[in-house]
Amino acid sequence: MESKRQQKFAGVIQKDLAEIFQREGMSFLPNTLVTITKVRVTPDLAIARIFLSFFNNQNTSLALNTVKAHANEIRYKLGSRIKNQVRIVPQLEFFVDDTNEYVERMDKIFDKISKEPRQPDTEE
């Protein structure tokens, strides 16, 4: 369970990182829309785990590796934005948020199940 402080800090990071990716993300991920779906912060506020979703991109692992390669640059830009609000700028860890893929996969399974003929209930 996250504290209010962690949730507030995660919200600030999510908002500022979204602006960074929107304005400057095209330089290292051209033609890709990056969405920050979730940010989780450790209790000491030293590490932020950022979950990303990539649209208009076929290879999410390559996109994630590209973002990880630019993590120091992204952290620097984040630090220049939030320097007056925090004591330390957290280390950034990036992950792919595959919730949409999971939902699509589950929908396909449920569609397949609903198209199968129902077996009559046998009561004994």
Side-chain angles (χ1 to χ4, degrees):
M1 187 74 189
E2 286 186 327
S3 69
K4 288 279 189 197
R5 182 174 176 225
Q6 285 173 279
Q7 291 172 355
K8 231 175 171 177
F9 191 57
V12 168
I13 291 173
Q14 184 170 0
K15 179 180 143 305
D16 287 328
L17 277 179
E19 290 176 11
I20 289 170
F21 277 110
Q22 183 179 16
R23 293 201 173 107
E24 302 160 25
M26 291 294 173
S27 63
F28 49 88
L29 283 173
N31 302 323
T32 302
L33 176 66
V34 180
T35 305
I36 298 164
T37 56
K38 193 182 336 175
V39 175
R40 296 281 182 242
V41 182
T42 56
D44 62 355
L45 308 179
I47 300 172
R49 293 181 177 93
I50 295 106
F51 293 86
L52 305 172
S53 180
F54 300 100
F55 296 100
N56 200 21
N57 189 318
Q58 300 303 318
N59 192 345
T60 56
S61 62
L62 178 64
L64 181 65
N65 288 335
T66 303
V67 170
K68 285 181 178 181
H70 293 296
N72 288 335
E73 176 186 346
I74 294 167
R75 182 174 182 241
Y76 176 78
K77 290 177 181 178
L78 176 67
S80 64
R81 287 174 172 259
I82 64 171
K83 65 183 174 204
N84 296 328
Q85 302 171 34
V86 297
R87 270 187 266 155
I88 60 165
V89 179
Q91 289 293 324
L92 305 178
E93 295 179 355
F94 295 100
F95 302 94
V96 173
D97 184 9
D98 57 354
T99 306
N100 289 339
E101 295 168 16
Y102 177 77
V103 168
E104 288 175 16
R105 196 166 57 242
M106 294 306 291
D107 283 343
K108 286 179 185 176
I109 291 171
F110 288 134
D111 286 344
K112 183 179 175 185
I113 290 172
S114 68
K115 290 177 183 174
E116 290 179 359
R118 292 187 60 91
Q119 297 176 356
D121 293 335
T122 56
E123 292 184 26
E124 294 179 33

